Amino acid sequence: MTSSKPVNRALAVSTRVKIALAVRSDLEVWQKLNVAAFLPSGFGTADPSLTGDAYADGDGCSYPPMLAHPVRVFTGDSSAPAGASNEHSTEVSS
């Protein structure tokens, strides 16, 4: 017998995916927030497997899929992002 429950794709996505942002600490607070909000929005469009399912709230308002993984935000001086290790990162290709 098959279940009629929808599968939550967000839970099925690999837990090995890690998303990290390196943001310069000398930016104004609003700039840091803008970077942290804007950059991850492109990840799901580049690789749809990073997003969960679209959903609706109790009032029936629908929302598009969001990232299915937490985003960690790190700050440092202006040289920190350039010196961040890419040893374990992979580039998303379409």
Side-chain angles (χ1 to χ4, degrees):
M1 174 181 254
T2 59
S3 171
S4 60
K5 286 185 178 182
V7 174
N8 184 342
R9 197 174 74 183
L11 295 177
V13 174
S14 169
T15 57
R16 293 178 50 189
V17 173
K18 295 181 173 87
I19 299 171
L21 296 176
V23 180
R24 289 176 34 174
S25 59
D26 61 343
L27 297 175
E28 295 293 328
V29 172
W30 69 267
Q31 292 172 310
K32 292 176 193 173
L33 292 170
N34 192 34
V35 168
F38 176 73
L39 287 179
S41 68
F43 299 160
T45 58
D47 184 352
S49 71
L50 296 177
T51 61
D53 295 325
Y55 65 99
D57 63 18
D59 292 331
C61 294
S62 59
Y63 298 90
M66 294 190 295
L67 286 175
H69 305 282
V71 177
R72 295 179 180 185
V73 180
F74 301 94
T75 60
D77 63 22
S78 61
S79 65
S85 171
N86 289 327
E87 181 179 329
H88 300 288
S89 58
T90 57
E91 196 171 313
V92 175
S93 59
S94 53

